[in-house]
Amino acid sequence: MRLLPLTVAILLLAVPGPLAAAPDAVETAIRPGDDFYGYANARWLAEQEQAGLPDNSGTTAVLIERNKTRVRELIAGFSARPASADERKAGLFHASLLDTARIERLGLAPLQGDLAAIARIAERRQLAAWLGAHLSLDDGSGQQVDAPLGIWVHQGFHDADRYAVHLIQGGLGLDRADYADTGPAALERRAAYARRIAAVLQAAGHSDPAARAQAVVAFEGRIAAVHASAADSADVHKTDNAWSRRDFSVRAAGMDWQAFLTAAGLAANDRFVVWQPGMVAGLAQLVAEAPLEPWRDYLTVRLIAHHADALPGSVTGAEPGDRAAVAVERTRRAMPDVVGRAYAARYFQPTAKASAQVMVESIRTAFADRLAQTAWMGDETRVRALAKLAALQIGVGYPDSWATYSALNVVRGDALGNLQRAERLAYRRALAKLGRPVDPGEWAMAPEAVGAILTLSPNAMQFSAGLLQPPYFDPHGDTAANFGSAGAGLAHEVSHSFDPVGNDYDSAGRLVHWWSAYDQARYTAAGRALAVQIGRNCPLPGSCLRGEQVLGESSADLVGLEVSYAAYRRSLNGREDSVIDGLSGDQRFFIAFARRWRRVQSDAALRRYVESDGHLPPRARAEAVRNLDAWYAAFGVKPGDALYLVPQGRVRVWTK
Ligand SMILES: [Zn+2]
């Protein structure tokens, strides 16, 4: 990665003046009807290529880097000028992680109590209790589960009113496939992993570390053997397994589940969703049968790995990474609402939120109009779709309320203890949700993240403050451009609530199909023309776009564009928009849409993208405008222009 040129690229965008203005001009040497993407983006792309923006990245990558800098500065400010007790705490938390001299000096001393407790595990009941007391807290992605099991407290798949405990597999140091693969590359990865484990066991004072490390790798292989595949774990119809407390001893015999659940603080909970039942059963069997020494060694290795960010690199065997970045990320995760709140206060004021909310509600209104005339929906489905749209909870910028951290004790110089206390607080807060009604306004993403999320269960979506910034959205800028860019993106996401993805979840976020077979057949038929149109586009020799592979996403692009355009026109109340820099409102709307997708992309990256991505490549995404009559009128596109489509060749998926 070329980091330095990227910094230059960010400066170009961030500093107003002639440098920033130039890339925002259209390329008048290109006719919009021949190459609309080039017309809107050629100057910006030339600037970025010169500045060295990495291959296959665009506006979002630039904003992510910009926000990393902002978050780093905010957290540095917590130490220098805290605006609240929580900010002071976050500053202290961050500083303790950066005190590497102290971390090196302490070595494993801060973990001695936990290591001694593992060493004392002499019977299976104690083992079950340890596992229960050391569940990873996950966000539903499965990516934070470094213990054998993780939990995510979230609404159940079938009961939208109450929270359930989702149990998710984890606990592996390598990819699942690496444990059984006998190819030379996997063998080398296992050998390298064993060497790292041996170093950790040696640092923990264990005898015969090399042999015991081999045993740990073999033991993890037994856990890997009962893990579900990534595909099965991502399939909600396979993870939808409701278990009661009693089910554990019947379906996963061998573990003292009473001891496990009591240690987990879940002895009274009776609502579990077990994502990988085979893994839970297999794990219980390992608890019953596997010798205790590899179990203890395995738990030692997992414990140290889990706390690696607060331990010396010489002990954990971790590559010497960027401690500064780790400290920022750990602080963000420990006190997310302190960072999110400070970000919003600085970069997304209430006026920006109010302005974005007006746009969001106008998109909702325009979407209701569209659903009323969507030809592929039968009448019953249309009623359900409209109810689902009305119930959709759309969060804009940042959540309505913030968590505070007066319950968190942050101690200067105790990096590891701080991490542990922050994790315990997050865990207690997650468990405290059990028994409360589900809050669909709860945010699933950080305000400073650059993104949008449609959660489906609950029926909610969020548009982060990190995303709602120029060039996607400017609260004080041009309405036409805001609708063409952020508005089209918002409407794209909303459309997934009603497409084959959203068909899995009803208006309360329950897992249930709500289309009829009639809708299904008509939706498929409506999309066929779009797939054919896409398939005719071959951006490179021998590389044609794959209509079926991208159909869901390109349908969402098209309806997103149509709905946002309708919302934009409605916002004008029958007036014509003003002309800015010689461009009409409609022209600025479509140009902003084409800019939404711009991305530096080499031919090699484009070829890979076409083969594997579920979305159209950037130029083709921008060219969705060919299907809207208004685009032809805005730019005077005529027969003979390269992008011209005869009116009956313009595809409508979501209209009559
Ligand atoms: Zn999408």
Side-chain angles (χ1 to χ4, degrees):
M1 199 190 307
R2 292 168 294 175
L3 278 174
L4 191 60
L6 182 61
T7 315
V8 175
I10 294 160
L11 286 176
L12 279 175
L13 283 170
V15 180
L19 272 178
D24 278 331
V26 293
E27 178 48 85
T28 47
I30 297 176
R31 297 178 63 247
D34 287 337
D35 173 8
F36 192 58
Y37 180 77
Y39 166 75
N41 297 316
R43 292 194 182 192
W44 185 86
L45 288 167
E47 290 280 345
Q48 295 308 320
E49 266 165 38
Q50 217 175 2
L53 190 68
D55 193 10
N56 207 24
S57 58
T59 305
T60 297
V62 172
L63 295 186
I64 287 172
E65 285 303 316
R66 178 190 294 173
N67 277 19
K68 270 190 201 162
T69 305
R70 288 174 166 182
V71 168
R72 206 164 50 231
E73 288 169 356
L74 286 170
I75 292 179
F78 294 164
S79 291
R81 303 169 299 281
S84 66
D86 278 352
E87 287 195 1
R88 195 190 60 80
K89 244 179 227 189
L92 208 53
F93 190 99
H94 176 245
S96 70
L97 284 165
L98 284 180
D99 190 351
T100 45
R102 185 171 167 80
I103 287 172
E104 288 288 339
R105 203 165 57 242
L106 289 173
L108 280 174
L111 273 184
Q112 277 318 317
D114 291 319
L115 291 168
I118 291 173
R120 281 197 303 271
I121 293 175
E123 49 176 270
R124 315 264 161 192
R125 184 187 169 78
Q126 290 171 301
L127 176 56
W130 175 274
L131 292 172
H134 293 84
L135 291 169
S136 300
L137 187 60
D138 193 50
D139 59 2
S141 66
Q143 288 177 3
Q144 290 168 37
V145 184
D146 60 2
L149 288 174
I151 73 165
W152 180 43
V153 178
H154 196 72
Q155 95 173 44
F157 286 131
H158 299 279
D159 180 348
D161 300 325
R162 285 178 292 175
Y163 287 99
V165 172
H166 295 247
L167 267 190
I168 303 169
Q169 71 183 13
L172 301 179
L174 294 173
D175 285 344
R176 168 176 170 266
D178 275 344
Y179 292 94
D181 191 337
T182 51
L187 281 177
E188 178 44 39
R189 281 194 288 275
R190 284 208 294 281
Y193 185 44
R195 287 193 294 274
R196 287 208 305 278
I197 291 178
V200 169
L201 291 174
Q202 183 152 30
H206 287 39
S207 61
D208 203 7
R212 286 167 75 168
Q214 293 290 350
V216 169
V217 177
F219 178 77
E220 279 190 28
R222 295 182 69 181
I223 297 181
V226 296
H227 258 229
S229 70
D232 283 357
S233 297
D235 181 346
V236 69
H237 299 289
K238 293 191 171 151
T239 57
D240 173 26
N241 308 289
W243 284 25
S244 69
R245 207 162 49 231
R246 225 185 76 78
D247 282 325
F248 284 89
S249 46
V250 178
R251 300 197 199 182
M255 169 112 81
D256 184 336
W257 288 103
Q258 182 66 35
F260 176 96
L261 293 171
T262 302
L266 294 168
N269 184 64
D270 207 24
R271 309 162 61 76
F272 295 89
V273 183
V274 177
W275 284 26
Q276 297 96 0
M279 190 276 180
V280 173
L283 182 72
Q285 216 167 351
L286 279 175
V287 169
E289 293 165 9
L292 285 177
E293 181 173 276
W295 256 119
R296 284 190 297 260
D297 289 349
Y298 165 76
L299 294 177
T300 299
V301 169
R302 299 312 308 165
L303 179 78
I304 292 172
H306 181 76
H307 295 96
D309 294 340
L311 291 171
S314 55
V315 170
T316 62
E319 301 290 327
D322 183 352
R323 279 259 173 199
V326 165
V328 165
E329 180 55 21
R330 278 298 192 156
T331 306
R332 216 184 57 74
R333 270 167 52 188
M335 277 168 274
D337 282 23
V338 177
V339 176
R341 189 175 192 165
Y343 181 90
R346 177 92 167 263
Y347 297 109
F348 198 73
Q349 270 96 37
T351 50
K353 180 162 176 153
S355 162
Q357 273 169 328
V358 169
M359 185 181 75
V360 162
E361 288 312 317
S362 66
I363 295 275
R364 192 198 299 267
T365 305
F367 217 105
D369 283 356
R370 183 54 45 120
L371 289 173
Q373 48 175 305
T374 295
W376 59 263
M377 281 185 180
D379 287 341
E380 274 181 40
T381 304
R382 195 184 318 282
V383 169
R384 291 194 195 109
L386 286 164
K388 190 175 181 185
L389 178 66
L392 177 65
Q393 184 107 11
I394 307 179
V396 175
Y398 51 86
D400 290 338
S401 62
W402 301 103
T404 57
Y405 298 89
S406 53
L408 178 62
N409 185 22
V410 177
V411 178
R412 185 180 301 277
D414 187 11
L416 192 132
N418 292 339
L419 274 188
Q420 289 188 322
R421 285 185 291 274
E423 284 186 340
R424 280 200 293 272
L425 176 66
Y427 187 82
R428 278 202 307 277
R429 286 186 166 166
L431 258 52
K433 292 195 258 181
L434 295 167
R436 285 194 214 145
V438 168
D439 172 15
E442 187 184 349
W443 273 57
M445 71 187 308
E448 70 276 14
V450 182
I453 188 166
L454 178 70
T455 62
L456 295 165
S457 174
N459 179 21
M461 66 184 299
Q462 287 111 36
F463 255 59
S464 69
L467 184 76
L468 290 168
Q469 61 172 310
Y472 290 136
F473 179 79
D474 182 350
H476 311 295
D478 178 27
T479 303
N482 284 344
F483 274 104
S485 189
L490 168 70
H492 169 120
E493 293 303 327
V494 171
S495 80
H496 283 313
S497 293
F498 313 104
D499 73 359
V501 178
N503 178 31
D504 271 343
Y505 298 89
D506 72 6
S507 64
R510 286 176 296 237
L511 192 57
V512 54
H513 282 289
W514 51 280
W515 293 6
S516 67
Y518 169 86
D519 304 313
Q520 182 74 59
R522 303 243 303 180
Y523 178 86
T524 305
R528 210 162 283 139
L530 186 58
V532 170
Q533 183 188 84
I534 290 165
R536 287 202 198 101
N537 184 344
C538 303
L540 293 171
S543 175
C544 298
L545 304 184
R546 301 167 181 195
E548 292 303 327
Q549 178 182 308
V550 299
L551 188 54
E553 290 300 333
S554 49
S555 297
D557 280 350
L558 184 52
V559 68
L561 174 65
E562 288 180 316
V563 166
S564 194
Y565 179 72
Y568 163 60
R569 294 302 304 185
R570 186 197 286 263
S571 78
L572 298 173
N573 283 320
R575 294 189 303 272
E576 270 309 308
D577 207 344
S578 48
V579 172
I580 300 176
D581 295 338
L583 296 168
S584 71
D586 274 18
Q587 287 178 326
R588 298 194 306 276
F589 172 90
F590 287 114
I591 289 168
F593 180 77
R595 287 183 171 164
R596 183 175 170 72
W597 312 116
R598 61 195 183 185
R599 176 190 283 246
V600 171
Q601 198 171 53
S602 65
D603 284 355
L606 172 59
R607 199 175 286 276
R608 282 195 302 276
Y609 195 97
V610 168
E611 282 165 13
S612 59
D613 207 279
H615 302 83
L616 285 168
R619 176 182 298 275
R621 287 193 93 167
E623 289 174 357
V625 298
R626 302 171 79 194
N627 293 303
L628 268 71
D629 297 343
W631 175 73
Y632 291 81
F635 294 96
V637 179
K638 298 178 303 295
D641 293 347
L643 293 175
Y644 181 84
L645 290 170
V646 295
Q648 59 272 31
R650 299 171 197 167
V651 173
R652 308 264 184 276
V653 179
W654 288 69
T655 38
K656 288 193 169 119

